[in-house]
Amino acid sequence: MRTPRTQHVSPSPSRLSVVIGAGGTGGHIYPGLALAEALLRAVPDAVISFVGTERGLETRLIPDAGFRLHTVDMIPFDPSLGARRFLLPAALAKSGAQCRSILREQGAQVAVGMGGYPSAPVIVGARLAGLPSVIHESNAVPGRANRFAALLTDRITLAFEAGREHLPGSRHADVVGMPIAAELAALDRRRPGLRAAARRALGVPGRGRLVLVNGGSLGAARLTAAATGLARRWRDRTDVQLLIKTGPAALAEVRGQLAASGGDRVATAVPYLDRMDLAYAAADLAVCRAGSATVAELSATRTPAVLVPYPYAPGDHQTHNARVLTDAGAGLLLPDAEADAERLAALAEPLLAEPHRLTAMAAAAPGGRHARAADLLAAHVLDLSGHTAPSPGFGSGSASGSDSGPPPRPGTAPHLLASAPHPDSETAA
């Protein structure tokens, strides 16, 4: 764990202080962390802290990254809450007032909302405190929290152009891309030796093709079930391997199923992947949901994918996200209702047998904007704060391919990008 950089801060008008609302799932938290790192590259003595709740992954991910987390009493913008949804106005008023106090305590000059229900109170708090704010919408179809927050700020940024038509006031929004970690922005999967080194670091056998099955921050039961069936189908093969991210809750059950079927001969199940740069570097093909962060990472790292959108996402936004890649020829779309081992094998096996198809899919990925997104969003924050903003592309999160970036998280392998030789004609990840 990094030493927190935001504890016991005394407000100072000359020191950049930013509060970022990000929580719930990794799809909101990791882009917020990428923004925080970009701000610190630009202004090393900046004070960055986060707002979330006690329920989401932010309680682990944000402190582990070395940032202070303030928690507020907010509930989701979710109709499935039933009668509890009528508590939303009161919860938003209370948490907005809490955020106003947090912003004053931190001496914040700017508030940032990264989407998701924990971020809306930050924008409310900024409005109450008279502070400038900016929101970032990560999905092709905006969520309820940002549709509300967009009414309270005139600075809107988007990950995808498609988000513009669904968000109030976004006619003049800036499409910056999706902020991703510096190690992903700099990743070039073509670098000689990187694939083998990443597999060694992950404990995955080096032989054959590797299929990464990634259900998101908490895993996905549908994808995990299809993957275990695929492992059973492939158990006698020596030319293919599976790396299955199950989520912590399903790990023991999945490992038991793999052992019983013999699928453990070709499959490795893990609860979580803290080093997604290693996972993408090691993989030949990914099978995953289509959350905005995942789509941006696949695009930036040029990882071919079979995308299985979560069918209950608000506004079916994951299908819209997935089409960013499938329309470009960088991925294949598999509806959730059809996502079983047999259908997945029918899509994956021809790709694995014809490497030129995987190469073509990787080349088709529209990756450049996401590699620069953290720095572009940071430039908006710096502009609002009155601090001088470096030119777009500053820092290691840009598309320049610099090797520098956040240090490894605890318990992970050392950063591999610097040790792998660069090809003569390196391009943006």
Side-chain angles (χ1 to χ4, degrees):
M1 182 186 295
R2 298 190 204 178
T3 301
R5 288 169 277 199
T6 56
Q7 302 284 358
H8 311 298
V9 174
S10 298
S12 170
S14 63
R15 189 177 189 186
L16 176 64
S17 178
V18 178
V19 173
I20 301 171
T25 67
H28 298 297
I29 299 165
Y30 283 123
L33 290 172
L35 169 62
E37 295 292 351
L39 288 168
L40 288 170
R41 289 193 296 271
V43 184
D45 69 344
V47 177
I48 314 294
S49 62
F50 284 77
V51 168
T53 72
E54 295 284 357
R55 292 186 294 276
L57 289 173
E58 62 266 32
T59 58
R60 179 176 74 87
L61 296 180
I62 289 172
D64 281 359
F67 296 98
R68 183 177 181 181
L69 174 67
H70 308 269
T71 59
V72 296
D73 302 315
M74 184 55 185
I75 62 175
F77 286 70
D78 188 351
S80 68
L81 289 174
R84 286 191 65 213
R85 70 185 186 275
F86 296 112
L87 299 175
L88 180 60
L92 189 57
K94 179 180 179 181
S95 57
Q98 290 172 326
C99 285
R100 176 178 58 186
S101 297
I102 292 166
L103 291 165
R104 289 174 174 171
E105 172 197 331
Q106 292 296 122
Q109 287 125 20
V110 182
V112 183
M114 297 302 297
Y117 72 92
S119 75
V122 176
I123 305 304
V124 173
R127 186 68 173 261
L128 294 173
L131 292 176
S133 62
V134 55
I135 63 171
H136 180 268
E137 175 49 53
S138 58
N139 288 297
V141 177
R144 299 179 186 91
N146 262 353
R147 291 204 303 269
F148 168 77
L151 301 173
L152 303 179
T153 181
D154 58 4
R155 187 71 67 107
I156 299 170
T157 61
L158 306 171
F160 303 108
E161 178 65 36
R164 191 184 302 278
E165 62 185 276
H166 300 285
L167 200 61
S170 63
R171 187 165 62 91
H172 300 294
D174 187 14
V175 182
V176 299
M178 181 70 165
I180 60 175
E183 61 264 29
L184 293 173
L187 180 64
D188 187 338
R189 296 172 61 250
R190 303 168 303 169
R191 295 181 185 181
L194 179 58
R195 181 171 176 254
R199 290 190 179 190
R200 286 194 300 271
L202 291 168
V204 175
R207 67 182 184 277
R209 300 284 177 185
L210 177 65
V211 178
L212 167 67
V213 181
N214 174 17
S217 304
L218 301 175
R222 174 79 72 174
L223 298 192
T224 300
T228 54
L230 206 55
R232 183 171 60 251
R233 177 187 177 102
W234 290 348
R235 62 190 172 189
D236 295 322
R237 293 182 61 166
T238 59
D239 62 338
V240 68
Q241 292 284 322
L242 286 154
L243 176 60
I244 308 170
K245 185 173 82 170
T246 66
L251 180 64
E253 180 182 359
V254 171
R255 285 180 172 171
Q257 292 171 350
L258 292 172
S261 70
D264 57 354
R265 295 199 291 269
V266 296
T268 301
V270 297
Y272 202 78
L273 287 166
D274 279 326
R275 287 291 302 274
M276 287 306 301
D277 58 323
L278 299 183
Y280 291 130
D284 295 283
L285 177 69
V287 178
C288 49
R289 291 300 195 190
S292 54
T294 297
V295 168
E297 290 171 1
L298 292 168
S299 184
T301 61
R302 303 191 186 278
T303 304
V306 175
L307 294 149
V308 186
Y310 180 60
Y312 306 111
D316 196 24
H317 69 250
Q318 288 207 4
T319 296
H320 292 271
N321 293 345
R323 286 178 179 150
V324 172
L325 292 181
T326 59
D327 289 353
L332 300 177
L333 186 66
L334 177 60
D336 182 83
E338 301 175 20
D340 57 20
E342 182 176 353
R343 186 76 179 94
L344 186 54
L347 292 176
E349 288 173 354
L351 293 176
L352 298 174
E354 301 178 44
H356 69 277
R357 292 184 61 187
L358 293 172
T359 300
M361 291 172 72
R369 176 179 282 155
H370 302 301
R372 301 188 299 272
D375 290 338
L376 294 173
L377 181 54
H380 277 277
V381 175
L382 294 171
D383 178 56
L384 287 172
S385 73
H387 284 69
T388 302
S391 60
F394 68 84
S396 62
S398 72
S400 63
S402 168
D403 292 335
S404 61
R409 293 183 177 87
T412 62
H415 203 287
L416 297 180
L417 299 179
S419 62
H422 290 240
D424 292 334
S425 57
E426 181 181 359
T427 62

